[in-house]
Amino acid sequence: AGTNVFRNCTFERNRRDETQPYPGGGGVGIEFSYCVPSDPDCKERVPRNFSSNSVYRFESCRFINDNKASIVAGMDQQDSRAVAMSGRNHMAFGRGGALMLCFKGNSSNNSITLDNCRLGNYDRDLVGSKADLMGGGLYASFGDFSEGNRVLVSKGSFSMNECHSKGSSGGGVRVEMASYPPHQVPRNNSVVFSDVVFISNWADKGGAVSFVSGREPSNSLAFNSCKFFGNHALTGSAVVLSLSYPDPAVGHPATPVFTGCEFRDNEADRGASHISCAIVNDVYGKGTLYADQVPVSMAGETVFCGNDNGSVVLVNAAMDLLENSSMDFESNQADNGAAMSFLGGASWLRLHPNTRLLFRDNIAWELGTGGAVNALHVGSLNPLYQQKCFLRYSNYTLFPDEWEVNVTFVGNKAGGRRNSIYASSLLPCVWPMTGDPKEDINRVFRWNGWHFLPEEHPRDILTAAARFKSNYTCNVIPSIEMFPGWREKLPFRSLDDLGHDVTNSTVFTAAVHASGYAIDPNSKYVANDSIRVLKMNKSSAQDFVFVRLSTISDRQISTGVNVYFQPCPPGFVLQNGSCECENASPFNGRVTCSQRDHASYLQPGACISLSKHGTLIAGNCPFNIKTNGSQLPQKISQVNEYVCGKVLRNRTGKLCGKCANDSGVSATSYLFSCVECRDLSAVWLEYIALEFGLLTFFSLLVIVFRINATSAFMNAFVFFSQLVSLPSFRLNYIYVQGIHLQPLALKYLFLAINGIWNLDFTWGISVCLHPDLSAMNILSLKYVVAFYPILLILICWGLIELHARNFRPVVWLWRPIQPCIVCIRRQSGSSIIAVFTTFLLLSYCKLLFISIAMLTPVFAYNVTGHIHGSPMLYIDTSVKYFSSSHLGFGLLALAMLLVFVVTPPILLLLYPMGCVQRGLGRCHTLSNSLKTFADIFQGCYKDGTNGTRDCRYFASLYFLLRIVFFGLYVSDLNLQIQYMCQQILFCFTAAIFSTVRPYKTDFLNNLDILCFSLLAIMNTLSWYNYQQMASDGHSSPSLGVFVVNYVLAYVPFFYACALFVWLFFENWISKLVRRVSSSDGFMDDEEESLLVVEVPRGGGGDAAHNNVGVMEISTDGSGPRTTNTDSTFRTYTFDSGRRQRHPRSRHLGMPDRLLNPQNYPSMSPTPLSCSSAHSSAPPRGSSRGAGSSRSRSSNSKIASDRSTSSNTTTTGASTGRGQGGAMAINSDPSDRVDTYGSTGSTQRSTDTASKTLEITDVVS
């Protein structure tokens, strides 16, 4: 009783023993008791002088630094000991961390004042006061029959106070004006906060202030010029107002009034969860000022700025903006209704005269939910003109155009799009102003004094769905096609009251009443304009089901849709009611699928089509070379048209194996592309001119310029070019996949540069010879192209032989072109076998590809990866494997494969064996030809002499590698395994060359090692790009990797260019310079020591000279000597001194180092042949003699005897056969003359006076 003053007091770190149930008030507790605490029966009332007219003043006091009101360990709000302060209960556990004020019983007219007091801390390193349950700073309770009590808080602050238990409320202040039970009603009590700041207070409900009111309007709560900054709570981050007993039969609650207050940067987020793990961390609340069934009034200038998760939330609560007042909502954020939210039909904002509302730059994250205002479940929806709108005017008799208000909306957005107001319906807000209901609806919130800036927009105001619009008539149910379990767009649109499309923000519930079908449990609520239905019964004969859709808002509308189910897309199977990606490699790896994207992709080298039974099948085919895969249509009925018609162009049939109408297989394509057929007669002429004309020209170039593909210097380059220019090698996909990254001309330039080594000259040109020609017919024609150069050489050889035998028609036809032929013969000197081996090597890959393609079967697979039907022909899947239509072509390909593909590598592999050579030696002609053939390929390898290992079998390695790579191409392996196998082959081959080093010259060993290392790098880069695309089925390859791979692919070409330039200078420019320097016809002493060998062929004379060639060896300077002026000479000149040419001799054009007999072990005519690239001993089994070691001495003898026996010729008969190999000439009478690489009879003259040798039957 009396007056009690606390001045300049500090209450710090005050708390109770948490193990004992003590009353609240961590710092100070003031309780006006209902009974005397010592009287257990409490039968008599406490005298008035103990509970009334008391005064308590706290002046400039501080309640700081962890004052705490605790509960007993394990207690919470539901504990029986934690009941409200009423009746005999006076144990205010966990209430009032700094100060507890409890008015009970008959307490009346008591006054408590806090003037300029601070409850809490501003320093974030320190803490304020804490309460486990309510009122972290201040707890004020008015109960029982308390009356006329007053609490005034002025010029103070509540900062960093907390209530941190589950369900706690009032982090700064908790005010209760209610009694329990409700028949005891406190009256005329008041709490006033003036110029008070609430900063960074925390609780689950009411971060700064929590107010609970009973149904007694005489009680009051007022906030004058208060500021609420940075407070946190799940509900009502700054203030929460709630009703104690929501019993509508008893009175009205008190009405809190906020005058001139500011609410900034408050967050309805985690509440007390930052301290207590009992609260789920990711639960977020709503509202800065949250009123639940408690009316509230706003006066003066009120500001809500920068608040998170909403500003004002009214739940069946009314708010009055009093006369001459304003509210500004700026830059607030929330999921919906960032400024104001109205929940329930009893929620509204009532405007009074001369009031102003400003909504600026408020943002709602959900689309179409009102950036500024969100009103749900408000008003009656039945009749129009009820005037029960959530935005009202105090004088309900005035039309909206007469209201004295100013309402402005500026820059408010919802879901990133302009939208200020969302309401369940505008019907309660319609006023009969124009007589047209539709026009009246359009005028809602666009009355006089209402502004949407910078200009009005149709989507400023949106409502819930009011009706549906579809393309169907009223009597037809809308329908959609759907894959089981996949979302599908609805076939109608949802429109709101104003006719705006709100489909994307409308939520339905879906229901299916048919067995075997169900709504996906995870999508029972249908949103975002899509629906998902499961087909649980795979064998159900019913292909459609009716689905009913109903909205879940208070404005319920419903509709229905027929769902027709489609078969699952390619690569997907029906599992658990939904089409799911087949994890067990659909179609045995020919198709990949993505469950995330609901997409399937056709893999490179595969085709897919519908079978005659209507199911999808897939298998390998040579037509599809797109490396990033083609995305397949989802409907299987569209697969044939898309894959065969669009992707593969003009194809049809099983696995797209046939060309469509009016198109045929291109005769110039290895991919068997189908092209449109034009004028057939002109096309045949064009094809012959291109294919055979260019091939003839190239064949002549090979002969004239001695282009020898069998040279050791060319082995790696030719192998590289042949692989990358054919579709059998997976590295060539880097050029196909990069078409969009490079000009098309660069692609064809690369393929043309490398394609000539496969005798391909028509890259980029498509020619249809006839629509009825199948792929087998085209491949048979390619056999002719492959054999044409060999046939051309054989024809030329036959004509030369006929001319040599004076076959008159040939001689007569020969005369006009004889000078040209003589020039070619003198410049080339090429033998038939050497030219044959060159063209055999160039045709080898073509023959291999054709034969394997015509003999390769292909299998079709269903979606589960099992084989479907009989095997088909790889190049024409419309033909069964080895059926009657395939049998003839198959036998032809098998014969070609055995004779021209398998035989050469086997021969080169087995020829170095002694037993094989002894067996072949019984047939001299065959033995010599095979010896020459083998030496061309094997002469550059170590032969086992001089302590080396015999590595001549390496000549078969490149042939075998070609066979292996083509085998991989047509195999049933997927691309991943093919890339891996290629990588193993490249690395293993490079390691073999590095270890064995089979060539005689290290330069060639290193050259091949570099070639296979380059191929390994390119394969790795191409494999990486394929991995990039295969990871999700449709990604683009890496541009950087592609560019590096493309540049590396040109490295062998630059090497070949450098090699050809060097050979051209060596063979032509040097020769021209020497001819000009010796044009005077005189020689010095060293030049006269030359040994000249000339071989005339055919023409006149006796029978011996008509059938054999004669080689004259002259030691004078008079030049070659012959008995027939029509003879064509082959002249070989060996220089024992300065290696200069006789001015009148004809030279082969070989490099000087190769003309020395010691460096010339064979008579191969060109310097590029494998056998002429190195100085080597003859092959085992050949009779080389001592010619090489004594060549210089023989030249010396011939030169010393010139004066006594020059210009003499002795001719003898042919008595014996020489051996193949190089030719050594020896003038020593004790030695005989040996020839290698030639056939014919040789005889050494026994006349010691004659120094001229006669060599007969020489065929070089």
Side-chain angles (χ1 to χ4, degrees):
T3 300
N4 304 278
V5 178
F6 300 85
R7 184 177 293 113
N8 297 322
C9 296
T10 300
F11 302 88
E12 182 176 7
R13 294 187 179 89
N14 297 287
R15 60 177 64 200
R16 298 285 187 176
D17 185 353
E18 297 183 6
T19 62
Q20 299 296 325
Y22 285 102
V28 176
I30 301 175
E31 177 183 349
F32 296 91
S33 300
Y34 180 83
C35 300
V36 178
S38 61
D39 184 1
D41 296 331
C42 196
K43 294 180 180 180
E44 298 180 359
R45 296 181 180 275
V46 177
R48 282 279 187 181
N49 61 331
F50 289 100
S51 60
S52 302
N53 302 313
S54 297
V55 176
Y56 291 86
R57 295 181 59 84
F58 294 86
E59 298 177 0
S60 302
C61 293
R62 298 187 305 162
F63 298 81
I64 61 173
N65 213 6
D66 204 18
N67 295 290
K68 186 174 182 180
S70 304
I71 60 176
V72 179
M75 284 181 60
D76 56 21
Q77 282 204 135
Q78 284 68 44
D79 194 287
S80 59
R81 293 170 293 178
V83 297
M85 294 286 291
S86 64
R88 290 190 292 175
N89 176 37
H90 62 276
M91 305 297 285
F93 301 124
R95 297 172 174 88
L99 178 62
M100 183 196 73
L101 307 177
C102 185
F103 301 88
K104 298 192 305 179
N106 293 320
S107 60
S108 60
N109 300 319
N110 298 292
S111 174
I112 300 177
T113 304
L114 282 79
D115 185 21
N116 196 27
C117 291
R118 184 173 60 158
L119 285 78
N121 287 310
Y122 290 119
D123 189 347
R124 289 189 178 272
D125 294 333
L126 301 176
V127 295
S129 299
K130 299 177 182 178
D132 284 343
L133 298 180
M134 304 172 187
L138 169 65
Y139 176 80
S141 172
F142 301 84
D144 300 330
F145 298 98
S146 60
E147 181 177 0
N149 300 291
R150 299 176 301 280
V151 176
L152 173 63
V153 182
S154 63
K155 296 181 182 179
S157 66
F158 293 82
S159 59
M160 301 183 68
N161 301 289
E162 299 175 353
C163 290
H164 51 79
S165 295
K166 183 179 180 180
S168 62
S169 58
V173 175
R174 167 77 171 195
V175 178
E176 294 180 359
M177 293 182 175
S179 183
Y180 308 91
H183 64 272
Q184 297 179 358
V185 180
R187 292 178 175 85
N188 296 317
N189 300 291
S190 67
V191 178
V192 178
F193 295 88
S194 298
D195 296 314
V196 177
V197 180
F198 299 87
I199 301 178
S200 297
N201 299 284
W202 296 74
D204 273 2
K205 293 178 290 186
V209 176
S210 172
F211 173 65
V212 177
S213 173
R215 293 188 177 275
E216 175 53 52
S218 64
N219 297 309
S220 64
L221 173 67
F223 295 88
N224 302 319
S225 301
C226 293
K227 295 178 173 56
F228 300 84
F229 296 157
N231 300 285
H232 297 259
L234 279 173
T235 303
S237 58
V239 178
V240 64
L241 311 174
S242 59
L243 191 63
S244 61
Y245 278 87
D247 183 359
V250 182
H252 296 281
T255 301
V257 179
F258 294 83
T259 303
C261 295
E262 292 184 37
F263 299 82
R264 295 181 183 271
D265 302 323
N266 301 283
E267 297 184 23
D269 49 11
R270 297 174 299 162
S273 64
H274 73 293
I275 319 171
S276 174
C277 295
I279 307 299
V280 181
N281 289 338
D282 58 355
V283 173
Y284 285 80
K286 187 173 180 66
T288 298
L289 192 160
Y290 190 97
D292 182 2
Q293 303 183 70
V294 175
V296 59
S297 297
M298 313 299 288
E301 296 182 358
T302 304
V303 176
F304 291 87
C305 180
N307 300 290
D308 194 12
N309 283 338
S311 294
V312 175
V313 178
L314 302 177
V315 181
N316 287 319
M319 174 178 283
D320 281 273
L321 182 59
L322 302 180
E323 188 172 359
N324 300 318
S325 300
S326 67
M327 282 199 300
D328 292 349
F329 299 89
E330 186 170 354
S331 300
N332 302 286
Q333 299 181 5
D335 290 338
N336 51 68
M340 299 192 71
S341 291
F342 300 87
L343 305 177
S347 298
W348 65 80
L349 171 63
R350 182 163 45 208
L351 304 178
H352 290 257
N354 196 27
T355 54
R356 178 179 63 83
L357 284 175
L358 173 63
F359 301 91
R360 182 193 299 274
D361 297 330
N362 299 284
I363 296 176
W365 302 117
E366 297 177 0
L367 179 65
T369 57
V373 177
N374 179 274
L376 300 178
H377 313 289
V378 291
S380 173
L381 303 180
N382 294 324
L384 295 172
Y385 318 132
Q386 292 297 311
Q387 291 85 45
K388 292 185 179 181
C389 185
F390 57 91
L391 292 175
R392 307 178 182 181
Y393 192 63
S394 58
N395 187 348
Y396 63 88
T397 63
L398 297 179
F399 282 96
D401 285 345
E402 300 173 322
W403 295 356
E404 298 179 31
V405 298
N406 186 302
V407 182
T408 304
F409 297 88
V410 183
N412 303 288
K413 295 181 179 180
R417 301 175 63 181
R418 181 168 172 175
N419 176 220
S420 294
I421 299 175
Y422 172 83
S424 296
S425 175
L426 293 181
L427 296 183
C429 301
V430 175
W431 285 76
M433 299 176 64
T434 65
D436 182 0
K438 183 177 181 180
E439 180 62 25
D440 288 341
I441 292 177
N442 291 331
R443 287 210 59 194
V444 171
F445 302 139
R446 299 185 187 275
W447 306 306
N448 292 338
W450 296 67
H451 312 282
F452 293 88
L453 302 177
E455 59 185 8
E456 290 190 358
H457 190 275
R459 296 187 63 86
D460 281 328
I461 304 172
L462 297 175
T463 73
R467 57 192 174 91
F468 299 110
K469 179 181 179 181
S470 69
N471 296 326
Y472 297 86
T473 61
C474 296
N475 297 324
V476 178
I477 299 176
S479 62
I480 56 174
E481 293 182 346
M482 176 187 295
F483 297 103
W486 289 14
R487 292 192 178 276
E488 190 63 39
K489 292 290 185 180
L490 296 173
F492 49 78
R493 313 302 295 171
S494 303
L495 304 182
D496 68 356
D497 287 335
L498 301 176
H500 301 140
D501 190 337
V502 293
T503 307
N504 292 335
S505 57
T506 303
V507 180
F508 303 89
T509 57
V512 174
H513 303 289
S515 60
Y517 300 90
I519 300 296
D520 178 27
N522 296 324
S523 59
K524 180 179 179 181
Y525 296 98
V526 181
N528 296 326
D529 189 23
S530 62
I531 187 174
R532 185 171 180 229
V533 183
L534 304 178
K535 183 179 180 182
M536 307 304 297
N537 189 356
K538 296 183 180 180
S539 60
S540 176
Q542 184 177 354
D543 292 331
F544 75 94
V545 65
F546 178 76
V547 179
R548 178 167 295 279
L549 301 171
S550 301
T551 59
I552 63 172
S553 64
D554 61 328
R555 190 176 194 174
Q556 291 189 0
I557 57 176
S558 63
T559 185
V561 59
N562 282 330
V563 176
Y564 290 87
F565 291 99
Q566 295 289 320
C568 290
F572 291 82
V573 294
L574 187 61
Q575 295 179 355
N576 301 321
S578 176
C579 291
E580 298 183 4
C581 184
E582 176 58 53
N583 295 325
S585 186
F587 301 101
N588 199 25
R590 272 62 183 176
V591 173
T592 60
C593 51
S594 171
Q595 189 71 40
R596 181 190 64 185
D597 301 328
H598 287 175
S600 52
Y601 303 89
L602 185 63
Q603 291 302 290
C607 293
I608 188 171
S609 66
L610 282 173
S611 68
K612 61 181 180 180
H613 302 295
T615 58
L616 284 176
I617 57 174
N620 288 349
C621 69
F623 322 122
N624 179 20
I625 59 171
K626 291 181 176 295
T627 53
N628 58 339
S630 300
Q631 184 172 348
L632 297 173
Q634 291 184 337
K635 294 184 177 180
I636 63 174
S637 59
Q638 300 174 354
V639 169
N640 274 22
E641 179 182 355
Y642 176 77
V643 176
C644 300
K646 184 176 180 180
V647 176
L648 303 182
R649 307 279 181 88
N650 302 327
R651 305 200 73 90
T652 186
K654 190 175 183 180
L655 295 185
C656 309
K658 297 178 63 177
C659 291
N661 297 332
D662 301 326
S663 62
V665 179
S666 174
T668 58
S669 172
Y670 284 100
L671 304 174
F672 309 98
S673 57
C674 294
V675 296
E676 183 181 356
C677 295
R678 299 181 285 115
D679 183 12
L680 298 182
S681 59
V683 167
W684 274 98
L685 293 176
E686 177 185 341
Y687 172 72
I688 293 173
L690 285 174
E691 192 76 81
F692 293 94
L694 293 175
L695 197 53
T696 302
F697 177 73
F698 179 73
S699 301
L700 293 177
L701 288 180
V702 170
I703 298 172
V704 173
F705 291 98
R706 301 180 307 283
I707 300 175
N708 189 356
T710 62
S711 168
F713 293 98
M714 296 287 288
N715 273 349
F717 171 71
V718 173
F719 177 79
F720 177 90
S721 297
Q722 289 184 337
L723 256 63
V724 299
S725 61
L726 286 177
S728 59
F729 191 44
R730 294 303 177 189
L731 283 186
N732 75 327
Y733 284 134
I734 62 174
Y735 311 109
V736 177
Q737 76 186 20
I739 289 178
H740 63 288
L741 303 176
Q742 60 175 319
L744 197 60
L746 290 180
K747 170 197 170 186
Y748 290 128
L749 173 63
F750 174 83
L751 295 176
I753 289 173
N754 294 281
I756 60 175
W757 303 102
N758 274 321
L759 302 182
D760 293 326
F761 305 95
T762 55
W763 277 102
I765 302 174
S766 297
V767 177
C768 172
L769 300 180
H770 198 279
D772 295 333
L773 290 179
S774 65
M776 293 183 292
N777 299 125
I778 296 301
L779 284 182
S780 301
L781 183 60
K782 288 183 179 292
Y783 272 134
V784 177
V785 176
F787 281 110
Y788 174 73
I790 299 175
L791 180 64
L792 187 64
I793 296 303
L794 293 177
I795 291 174
C796 292
W797 176 79
L799 292 176
I800 292 174
E801 289 298 322
L802 290 175
H803 179 271
R805 288 163 175 76
N806 276 332
F807 185 68
R808 292 304 174 184
V810 176
V811 173
W812 181 76
L813 292 173
W814 197 275
R815 286 177 181 176
I817 61 173
Q818 182 173 348
C820 180
I821 297 300
V822 171
C823 179
I824 292 175
R825 289 282 302 276
R826 287 175 175 174
Q827 297 300 336
S828 67
S830 301
S831 69
I832 294 298
I833 297 179
V835 177
F836 172 79
T837 55
T838 292
F839 283 107
L840 174 64
L841 184 62
L842 298 182
S843 302
Y844 188 82
C845 275
K846 187 185 290 286
L847 294 172
L848 176 60
F849 177 83
I850 297 170
S851 300
I852 290 184
M854 292 183 69
L855 290 173
T856 301
V858 64
F859 294 92
Y861 299 91
N862 58 24
V863 67
T864 59
H866 295 93
I867 295 177
H868 177 88
S870 304
M872 302 161 289
L873 183 61
Y874 174 67
I875 58 174
D876 190 347
T877 50
S878 63
V879 177
K880 289 187 177 181
Y881 190 66
F882 264 95
S883 61
S884 57
S885 57
H886 174 229
L887 182 60
F889 294 98
L891 294 177
L892 172 63
L894 185 61
M896 292 292 181
L897 187 68
L898 293 176
V899 176
F900 294 99
V901 175
V902 178
T903 301
I906 292 179
L907 177 63
L908 294 174
L909 184 64
L910 301 179
Y911 184 78
M913 299 181 182
C915 59
V916 175
Q917 293 194 15
R918 286 193 298 271
L920 295 174
R922 298 178 181 178
C923 181
H924 296 288
T925 303
L926 178 62
S927 176
N928 291 331
S929 299
L930 290 179
K931 190 180 295 294
T932 304
F933 175 83
D935 188 61
I936 290 174
F937 287 103
Q938 296 179 341
C940 54
Y941 296 100
K942 298 174 182 177
D943 57 4
T945 61
N946 299 325
T948 61
R949 179 185 303 172
D950 191 351
C951 298
R952 286 176 291 172
Y953 59 86
F954 264 82
S956 64
L957 178 61
Y958 280 105
F959 290 97
L960 296 175
L961 285 175
R962 290 176 174 91
I963 296 175
V964 171
F965 279 116
F966 277 92
L968 284 175
Y969 169 63
V970 298
S971 68
D972 217 24
L973 303 175
N974 60 42
L975 276 181
Q976 292 281 12
I977 299 178
Q978 290 188 40
Y979 274 119
M980 181 178 65
C981 292
Q982 287 182 171
Q983 190 72 12
I984 293 174
L985 284 173
F986 290 143
C987 295
F988 179 75
T989 307
I992 289 296
F993 274 96
S994 178
T995 305
V996 179
R997 306 193 73 83
Y999 289 105
K1000 297 176 181 178
T1001 304
D1002 275 342
F1003 173 77
L1004 295 177
N1005 290 316
N1006 295 332
L1007 183 65
D1008 283 28
I1009 293 172
L1010 290 176
C1011 172
F1012 284 101
S1013 300
L1014 177 64
L1015 287 172
I1017 294 173
M1018 294 176 62
N1019 184 75
T1020 301
L1021 297 177
S1022 186
W1023 193 1
Y1024 171 80
N1025 261 349
Y1026 175 78
Q1027 286 285 92
Q1028 289 290 103
M1029 296 176 293
S1031 59
D1032 57 6
H1034 60 281
S1035 298
S1036 297
S1038 170
L1039 176 61
V1041 171
F1042 167 78
V1043 171
V1044 173
N1045 223 358
Y1046 192 81
V1047 171
L1048 291 177
Y1050 276 94
V1051 172
F1053 170 71
F1054 294 128
Y1055 159 76
C1057 291
L1059 178 63
F1060 290 147
V1061 169
W1062 177 79
L1063 291 176
F1064 177 78
F1065 178 82
E1066 186 74 14
N1067 292 317
W1068 296 87
I1069 304 300
S1070 300
K1071 172 182 170 183
L1072 179 62
V1073 172
R1074 284 192 289 269
R1075 282 187 177 179
V1076 172
S1077 63
S1078 60
S1079 60
D1080 55 0
F1082 296 97
M1083 298 178 293
D1084 55 19
D1085 293 338
E1086 289 184 293
E1087 287 175 330
E1088 291 182 359
S1089 66
L1090 295 172
L1091 174 64
V1092 180
V1093 181
E1094 295 185 348
V1095 181
R1097 297 287 296 172
D1102 54 16
H1105 285 163
N1106 287 333
N1107 295 314
V1108 299
V1110 178
M1111 177 181 291
E1112 291 188 1
I1113 304 175
S1114 176
T1115 56
D1116 63 0
S1118 60
R1121 187 174 302 213
T1122 181
T1123 58
N1124 189 334
T1125 57
D1126 291 332
S1127 298
T1128 302
F1129 280 82
R1130 298 183 187 177
T1131 304
Y1132 302 88
T1133 303
F1134 302 99
D1135 183 2
S1136 61
R1138 292 168 51 189
R1139 294 186 179 86
Q1140 296 181 1
R1141 276 75 178 172
H1142 194 288
R1144 296 183 61 187
S1145 67
R1146 296 297 181 260
H1147 172 239
L1148 285 174
M1150 299 180 180
D1152 291 344
R1153 64 181 179 79
L1154 297 176
L1155 289 174
N1156 192 322
Q1158 295 180 355
N1159 295 327
Y1160 198 70
S1162 77
M1163 290 301 292
S1164 180
T1166 66
L1168 294 180
S1169 65
C1170 181
S1171 59
S1172 65
H1174 310 282
S1175 174
S1176 65
R1180 293 181 181 178
S1182 63
S1183 177
R1184 177 169 181 172
S1188 294
S1189 61
R1190 293 193 291 269
S1191 60
R1192 186 176 298 274
S1193 63
S1194 70
N1195 290 338
S1196 301
K1197 279 194 173 185
I1198 294 173
S1200 64
D1201 295 337
R1202 291 180 355 181
S1203 60
T1204 59
S1205 58
S1206 62
N1207 298 327
T1208 61
T1209 302
T1210 302
T1211 303
S1214 175
T1215 60
R1217 290 286 179 184
Q1219 300 294 324
M1223 182 178 70
I1225 302 174
N1226 191 354
S1227 60
D1228 189 342
S1230 63
D1231 294 325
R1232 62 182 178 88
V1233 176
D1234 296 327
T1235 60
Y1236 307 111
S1238 307
T1239 61
S1241 62
T1242 64
Q1243 183 175 358
R1244 173 74 167 87
S1245 175
T1246 58
D1247 185 2
T1248 57
S1250 174
K1251 301 304 181 185
T1252 300
L1253 302 179
E1254 178 182 307
I1255 304 173
T1256 61
D1257 270 299
V1258 177
V1259 179
S1260 298

